[in-house]
Amino acid sequence: MQEVFKGIPVIHYEGRTSQNPLAFKYYNPDEKIGEKTMREHLRFSVAVWHTFTGKGVDPFGSASIRRAWDNYPQPMDQAKARIEAAFEFFAKLGVPYFCFHDRDIAPEGSTLAETNKNLEAITDYIKELMQGANVKLLWGTANLFGHPRFVHGAATAPNADVFAYAAAQVKKAMEVTLALDGENYVFWGGREGYETLLNTDMELEQDNLARFFHMAVDYAKEIGFSGQLLIEPKPKEPTKHQYDFDVASVLAFLRKYGLDKDFKVNIEANHATLAGHTFQHELHYARINGVLGSVDANQGDELLGWDTDQFPTNLYSTTLAMYEILKNGGLHKGGLNFDAKVRRGSFTDRDLFEAHIAGMDAFAVGLKAAYKLLESGALEKAVEARYASYKQGIGQKIRAGKTGFKELEEYALTEGAIENESGRQERLESIVNQYILQA
Ligand code: XUL
Ligand code: CO
C-alpha cells in the first residue's frame, strides 16, 4: 500500500506545553483516569463520510477539497484507495474505531444486485485491512437519503416500492456491519419527516417507520447481530420536520410501538442544539431514561441555524458532556464518533489530522475536568441540598405516593409563609469553570 499522508507522522502525546500541531496536548491514551484509560473512556471514532468523502461543497460553491483517492477514474478503484487511505489515517491518529454508511465505502451500481456486489467486495477488503490494524467498527449504517429515489423519504416514503428498497438496503448494511464485528448499528432518519402536512399521512408514515424498525429488530436477531441498535435524533434538515426530533420524541415513539427495549439513542451535539436543547440536555434526558447509547461528537455554530458539523473544541460543552457520560457509567458499546467536517477553507490533508487532534484534546480536557468535578461531588451536593424537602415530612409523603390533594390542602392552609432558597446558579457555573481550568 502506498503512503498517502506523506510527512504526517504517527501522532503522539506531548503534553500541554507542546507547540507541535501534530501532537496531542491532553489526550494521552494510556493515562488512567480512575479505573480506565483515556482510550477506554473516550472510545474515539472517525466518520468515513466527512473525513474521506467530504469535498467542501456548499450551496454557493463547488468542491474545494481534492484528495489523492479522487484521482482514480473507476469508482471501485477510488473506493479501494479511499479505504486504504482511511486505514493509514486511523493508524497515524491512533483512533480505536471508525463508522460508515454503506455508500461511503462502495459506489452504487446500475442495479441493487450490482450495488450489493460492490459493497461485499469492499467489505471483504476492509476485513482484510482490519486484520493487520488496531481499529474496530463502532457502527455501520445505510444511506437512505442521498439518492433521488429517497426524495420523499425511505421507510416513511409514500411509495411502498421505496420502503421495500430501503429494507433491502438496511438488510445488507446490517449484514456488512455484522461481518465486520460492528458494535452498534445506527438509524438516522435521513428524510424520514415531511415538508408539508397538505400532502402527508403522518399517521401511516409513523406506523410504517415502526414496522420498519420491528423488521430490523427481527432481522438482527435472525442473523445473530448482538450489537446495540441506535436511533439518532435530529429535529430538521433535510426535511422541515424530522420525526425523530429529539430524545424525548424518539422515546415516546419507541414506547408507543413497543420498541423501547430494543433501541438506544445516538446523540449528536449539533442535532441537540438544532432542536433548541443543549448537548448536555439530550445526554442527560437519555441517561435518566436508560437509553444513552453513543455520541456523534461535534458542535454547531450559535449564529447559524443549520447543521454545521464542526469539530468539537468548546471545552464547556465537552466537560458537561463527559460529566453526563461518566454518570452513565461510560458509553458501554458506544463511542465518541467525530461526525464532524473540516471547514471548506481547511482543505489540506493535514487539516484532517489537526481537526481530529483538536477534537480529541477537547474531549480529553472534558474527561479530566468532569472526572474531578464528579469526584468532588460539588454539583451532587448542591442538587441534593436543593431537594432536601422531599426527604422528610410532607415531601417524603409526596415522594412515596402516600398523600393527595386533600391532605396537601390542609398542609398548605396551616403552613406559614413559604421560604425558598437560592438556586446558586452562578456559584455552580464558577465551580465548573474552576475544574475546566485545572484539567
Ligand atoms: C446527519 C448525520 C448522519 C448520521 C448517520 O446529520 O448526523 O451523518 O450520523 O447517518
Ligand atoms: Co450524526
Side-chain angles (χ1 to χ4, degrees):
M1 257 178 359
Q2 259 194 324
E3 189 181 16
V4 175
F5 303 110
K6 294 197 184 82
I8 307 276
V10 171
I11 311 298
H12 293 293
Y13 168 72
E14 289 186 4
R16 63 176 65 217
T17 57
S18 170
Q19 301 290 317
N20 178 3
L22 292 174
F24 297 118
K25 322 294 180 303
Y26 299 94
Y27 178 61
N28 185 7
D30 295 317
E31 184 180 330
K32 277 208 155 172
I33 305 291
E35 298 286 289
K36 293 195 273 185
T37 62
M38 282 202 189
R39 185 189 287 107
E40 291 163 338
H41 275 291
L42 297 164
R43 297 169 62 84
F44 287 128
S45 159
V46 170
V48 170
W49 54 102
H50 286 311
T51 296
F52 301 102
T53 70
K55 297 212 181 325
V57 176
D58 75 11
F60 304 95
S62 55
S64 65
I65 296 173
R66 191 164 181 90
R67 307 285 181 207
W69 50 94
D70 294 328
N71 294 327
Y72 292 81
Q74 294 301 324
M76 279 300 275
D77 293 340
Q78 204 177 94
K80 272 187 80 177
R82 175 186 294 122
I83 222 64
E84 285 171 5
F87 272 76
E88 182 188 328
F89 187 86
F90 304 152
K92 285 186 167 171
L93 193 63
V95 280
Y97 288 100
F98 67 108
C99 292
F100 60 77
H101 300 83
D102 47 4
R103 299 297 168 260
D104 305 332
I105 58 169
E108 287 234 21
S110 48
T111 61
L112 178 61
E114 200 184 301
T115 302
N116 285 346
K117 228 177 83 202
N118 290 346
L119 186 56
E120 280 160 20
I122 299 292
T123 302
D124 288 347
Y125 190 46
I126 292 180
K127 202 164 185 167
E128 205 180 303
L129 294 175
M130 280 173 84
Q131 268 156 21
N134 227 346
V135 67
K136 296 194 278 183
L137 179 61
L138 185 66
W139 48 262
T141 189
N143 179 330
L144 305 177
F145 43 90
H147 193 280
R149 77 174 67 84
F150 299 120
V151 65
H152 299 307
T156 65
N159 180 346
D161 289 350
V162 177
F163 185 106
Y165 196 102
Q169 206 178 312
V170 169
K171 174 179 177 287
K172 180 55 75 182
M174 285 183 129
E175 290 163 7
V176 163
T177 303
L178 174 66
L180 298 176
D181 293 321
E183 299 187 20
N184 306 267
Y185 184 89
V186 164
F187 294 86
W188 166 59
R191 292 182 194 274
E192 314 293 27
Y194 67 84
E195 293 299 323
T196 170
L197 284 175
L198 298 179
N199 65 10
T200 302
D201 184 342
M202 191 201 279
E203 196 177 8
L204 177 64
E205 291 200 2
Q206 295 216 340
D207 287 351
N208 279 348
L209 186 57
R211 290 183 184 106
F212 195 87
F213 285 142
H214 273 292
M215 291 178 201
V217 170
D218 290 347
Y219 194 64
K221 281 192 191 126
E222 196 178 323
I223 61 175
F225 176 69
S226 58
Q228 177 65 51
L229 303 179
L230 298 164
I231 295 183
E232 183 176 323
K234 185 174 185 181
K236 54 189 166 198
E237 203 198 23
T239 70
K240 181 176 117 165
H241 184 105
Q242 302 271 132
Y243 291 135
D244 301 330
F245 192 95
D246 59 1
V247 178
S249 28
V250 168
L251 260 180
F253 174 91
L254 292 173
R255 286 174 181 157
K256 173 176 175 186
Y257 294 102
L259 287 158
D260 48 312
K261 300 284 172 292
D262 298 302
F263 287 84
K264 287 189 174 180
V265 288
N266 180 39
I267 295 173
E268 179 164 327
N270 204 168
H271 296 180
T273 50
L274 277 180
H277 302 308
T278 60
F279 185 20
Q280 188 190 7
H281 168 94
E282 287 291 79
L283 294 167
H284 190 104
Y285 200 95
R287 174 171 72 74
I288 63 175
N289 283 288
V291 291
L292 174 50
S294 199
V295 168
D296 271 6
N298 65 10
Q299 71 186 31
D301 185 306
E302 279 174 26
L303 303 180
L304 301 175
W306 65 91
D307 197 15
T308 57
D309 281 344
Q310 290 165 231
F311 275 85
T313 52
N314 180 327
L315 301 181
Y316 203 79
S317 167
T318 58
T319 298
L320 295 178
M322 288 314 301
Y323 175 77
E324 294 298 333
I325 290 168
L326 289 173
K327 281 184 87 96
N328 194 55
L331 286 167
H332 309 284
K333 286 185 183 181
L336 294 174
N337 171 48
F338 289 111
D339 191 352
K341 59 184 177 219
V342 285
R343 298 303 82 195
R344 188 163 185 266
S346 306
F347 46 75
T348 70
D349 288 352
R350 194 184 164 104
D351 287 310
L352 286 180
F353 284 90
E354 294 185 5
H356 282 85
I357 291 168
M360 291 162 85
D361 271 339
F363 267 96
V365 172
L367 167 63
K368 290 176 108 171
Y371 190 85
K372 288 204 178 131
L373 181 60
L374 250 183
E375 227 178 15
S376 78
L379 299 186
E380 284 68 23
K381 275 179 226 150
V383 172
E384 200 176 315
R386 192 160 182 240
Y387 295 88
S389 65
Y390 285 93
K391 288 223 163 128
Q392 73 252 322
I394 198 70
Q396 197 177 28
K397 275 183 138 181
I398 294 172
R399 229 178 152 153
K402 289 197 172 130
T403 185
F405 274 4
K406 271 203 239 155
E407 187 187 4
L408 291 171
E409 184 191 44
E410 263 168 49
Y411 178 83
L413 285 170
T414 55
E415 265 301 284
I418 290 174
E419 280 184 36
N420 269 318
E421 297 226 6
S422 164
R424 300 195 182 88
Q425 180 172 335
E426 297 79 2
R427 182 199 288 182
L428 300 175
E429 285 169 347
S430 151
I431 291 175
V432 172
N433 283 350
Q434 257 182 312
Y435 281 94
I436 294 174
L437 288 167
Q438 285 166 19

